[in-house]
Structure formats: C-alpha cells, structure tokens
Amino acid sequence: MSHFSRISGEWKYFMSNNYNYRFNMRTGLFFRWGKTLQDDPYRSEYGPEIADIEITTICSGSNGLSCPYCYKDNNSKGINMALDSFKSIINTINTNNQLTQVAFGLGSTGEENPSLWEMCTWLLKQNIIPNGTIADISNETADKIATYFGSCAVSLHSKNGSYDICYDSVKRLTDRGMSQVNIHYVLSEETYEECFKVLNDIQTDPRLHKLNALVFLSLKTKGRAVDNKFRCLCTEKFSRLIKKALEMKINIGFDSCSYPKFKQTVSGMPNEKQLLMMAEGCESFGRFSIYVNVEGKAYPCSFCENTTSYTGVGEDIISSSLMDIWNGKQNTDGQKQLDENDGNCPIFDI
C-alpha cells in the first residue's frame, strides 16, 4: 500500500490512492476523500484515525453521585493504565502514522490517572491531539485541559434538577480560551423532558455563551442503564427534539450511533445534505476508529466490551499486529452487519 503522511504548519496530511485526509491540529477541522474529492471512502485501510483509549476505570461520578445510566458501571475503585503501556499501545495503533486524535476514557474529574498529563505531552510530540470527556473539574484541572487538549466534552448530569456542576465546568474551560468545548447529553425516555430546559439554558445562561455545541449521545442499554431501567428514546421524540434545537439555531452534534435516527429526522428537509454533515455513521468495526480498554484489549468500540450480544473477544493490541486486528474477522463481520442493517448498530437497539 503506497501512502505517506506529512505535517505542514498546523495541518496533518495523509495521502494514498484511495484514502486521504487533511486534519487541522489546532481547530479539529477534518476533511476526508478518496480517489477524487467527490469520493467518500467506506473505511481507512491504513488503520484508525481516532483511538478511544480507556486509561482508567476509576470514576466517582459528579459531586459524588454515580451516573444512573453509565454503560461502564464505573465507581471509585478501579485501575489505571501505565504510561509505558499507553505509549506501546499508541505506537502499535499508529503503525502508518495515520492517527490524528486520542479520545481518553477518563473519570469524572480528569485526575484519576496521574499519568494523564505525561501522556498528553508525549502525544503532542507525535502530532496526535488529546481529547477527553469529564464531568466535574477544578480550576487547576481546567488549566491543564486547556493546555493539553484540543477539545473537551463535559457530561451533563443533573443533581436535584440543577446543572451547575456541568455549566461551571464548561465556563472554567471556555474562560481559559478553549473554543472546542461541548456538552454531552445522554438521550433516553427518562432524560427527554429535561433536555428542553438545557436548550433554553444554552440561550440564556451566561456560563454557556461560549459553548461550541450540545452533543446528543444515544442511550446504550448496558451497565447501570439496565439496572435502573432506562429506555431508549423513540424516534418520534428524537425528531421533535432535534427540530426544536434547529429551530432555536443551537449548535448540535451526535455520536455516530445516532446517525440513522438523525438521517430519518432530516430526510426531505431543504438543507438535508448540509445537516447530514453534522453526524457520521458508525466508525467502528475497522472503519475509522478503535477502542482499547485499560488492560490493553482492543474492541471495535467501547460498547462491545462485556456485552452478551457481541461474541468477539478483546485482542491484546501490544502483542498483535494492528493490521491483523484492523482487517480481522471481527471487523469484517461487523462491517457486513452494518451494511445489512442500513447502518444501524448490530449490537444494541438504539
């Protein structure tokens, strides 16, 4: 496979016959194309663009309260990934120098793994941009995130109807000059009504004036979401919510799991093509992303791990070839299922 990558200023380029990208390491702007600019490649044959790396299983929740729908079911007891293990994992994943970003699997405060900031420093030297999701951070942690992260998401979890923890964390980050700060909101039947209040807050609460976007995450019926009987949001309510956000001219985004619902929602709209650019279909199963857990085991995505409906097993990425995993049967089978399901998740009903 003939290919090359290069850095020019704040841009990273990857070039080959059938797969190419241009990535701005400062703003996160990303363009991907195939043999021609009009081609949209189905997958990267050279390995993932984004690696989702779980560096800790420790999480104390927001203000000491565990999220009732956490698919990981993490708590204050857990383990951390060592710095040397992290470097070995990234070196394996970045075999073709194609990796653009690492999305850290963190705890709520961002400080659970004391090696995080050394990991960030090392990544930046490799021209790989660190990102992560937190929920409740201090001013000191906000300083570090603003220094090292390209973007940061703040999970929104209400406490007695209050969103102060989330909104204060957003402000701490935007006050430090971060422009790529999003709120992550888990959509379910149980959280649906609250979301309309959040939409109003984005327009009126001064702490959110520099927020980049509200990003909707579809519920996965796994972990505490099952224990607490959370239910996936029906398509009708999903569409109502999205249309309301668009009507209010609020910047929104989605996880790739939500793409089929979003596609159905905007079908037939005059600006359908432009709207569909705000979300992308499933990037897992050897297409554009990979997940590695705290033990160094690779899965198509983080939701596959310890799931009865997924029959694959985690593969030790340090002792394996990236291409053997990337082009392996688990991923090719998953791609086939995605195609047969019109892009809908083969593991969960979303």
Side-chain angles (χ1 to χ4, degrees), residues 89-199:
I89 288 167
I90 297 301
N91 284 333
T92 301
I93 292 175
N94 197 32
T95 297
N96 292 305
N97 197 28
Q98 83 296 334
L99 195 63
T100 65
Q101 302 174 68
V102 165
F104 284 112
L106 303 171
S108 59
T109 69
E111 295 283 3
E112 287 78 7
N113 188 327
S115 297
L116 170 60
W117 312 115
E118 290 179 90
M119 293 173 179
C120 290
T121 300
W122 182 80
L123 282 177
L124 291 170
K125 289 180 181 177
Q126 321 303 312
N127 295 304
I128 300 170
I129 306 304
N131 302 308
T133 302
I134 48 81
D136 183 5
I137 57 170
S138 66
N139 285 318
E140 291 74 18
T141 302
D143 288 337
K144 297 174 188 174
I145 290 175
T147 299
Y148 294 108
F149 282 21
S151 66
C152 187
V154 183
S155 295
L156 190 151
H157 313 291
S158 64
K159 181 184 179 184
N160 300 323
S162 169
Y163 310 130
D164 284 344
I165 292 173
C166 171
Y167 294 177
D168 288 344
S169 293
V170 168
K171 188 174 187 299
R172 288 187 182 106
L173 294 170
T174 57
D175 278 353
R176 285 158 174 79
M178 289 194 75
S179 59
Q180 299 295 318
V181 179
N182 300 322
I183 286 178
H184 275 184
Y185 191 96
V186 176
L187 285 178
S188 69
E189 289 287 341
E190 290 71 25
T191 61
Y192 171 69
E193 293 295 342
E194 285 186 54
C195 195
F196 290 95
K197 181 181 184 304
V198 177
L199 291 175

Side-chain angles (χ1 to χ4, degrees), residues 294-307:
V294 73
E295 297 172 340
K297 304 292 185 182
Y299 292 84
C301 79
S302 60
F303 306 115
C304 292
E305 185 183 13
N306 301 324
T307 302

Side-chain angles (χ1 to χ4, degrees), residues 193-331:
E193 293 295 342
E194 285 186 54
C195 195
F196 290 95
K197 181 181 184 304
V198 177
L199 291 175
N200 288 324
D201 287 347
I202 289 173
Q203 290 192 326
T204 60
D205 194 309
R207 293 173 293 182
L208 306 181
H209 281 177
K210 295 181 180 179
L211 181 74
N212 180 56
L214 174 62
V215 177
F216 297 116
L217 311 179
S218 289
L219 177 78
K220 314 304 183 295
T221 49
K222 182 182 176 186
R224 285 198 287 270
V226 175
D227 298 337
N228 294 316
K229 297 181 170 55
F230 275 76
R231 299 164 294 162
C232 293
L233 188 66
C234 69
T235 302
E236 180 183 357
K237 288 182 179 178
F238 179 91
S239 297
R240 193 181 307 153
L241 178 63
I242 300 315
K243 290 175 181 177
K244 182 64 176 177
L246 293 173
E247 176 188 317
M248 297 173 70
K249 302 186 184 309
I250 290 174
N251 291 340
I252 54 176
F254 308 87
D255 58 357
S256 58
C257 316
S258 304
Y259 183 79
K261 276 184 177 178
F262 182 65
K263 183 179 179 181
Q264 183 176 338
T265 296
V266 302
S267 177
M269 289 185 179
N271 55 344
E272 175 183 354
K273 184 176 180 180
Q274 289 78 15
L275 289 170
L276 286 175
M277 293 177 66
M278 297 194 313
E280 185 168 25
C282 181
E283 301 173 339
S284 303
F285 297 102
R287 295 192 63 209
F288 301 112
S289 69
I290 194 170
Y291 166 72
V292 180
N293 74 5
V294 73
E295 297 172 340
K297 304 292 185 182
Y299 292 84
C301 79
S302 60
F303 306 115
C304 292
E305 185 183 13
N306 301 324
T307 302
T308 55
S309 55
Y310 175 70
T311 57
V313 295
E315 301 178 76
D316 188 337
I317 194 153
I318 295 177
S319 62
S320 303
S321 158
L322 170 67
M323 289 296 107
D324 286 345
I325 294 175
W326 193 242
N327 299 319
K329 188 174 186 302
Q330 293 186 38
N331 282 338

Side-chain angles (χ1 to χ4, degrees), residues 330-341:
Q330 293 186 38
N331 282 338
T332 55
D333 285 352
Q335 291 166 27
K336 182 180 178 181
Q337 288 177 293
L338 280 171
D339 292 341
E340 291 173 348
N341 293 344

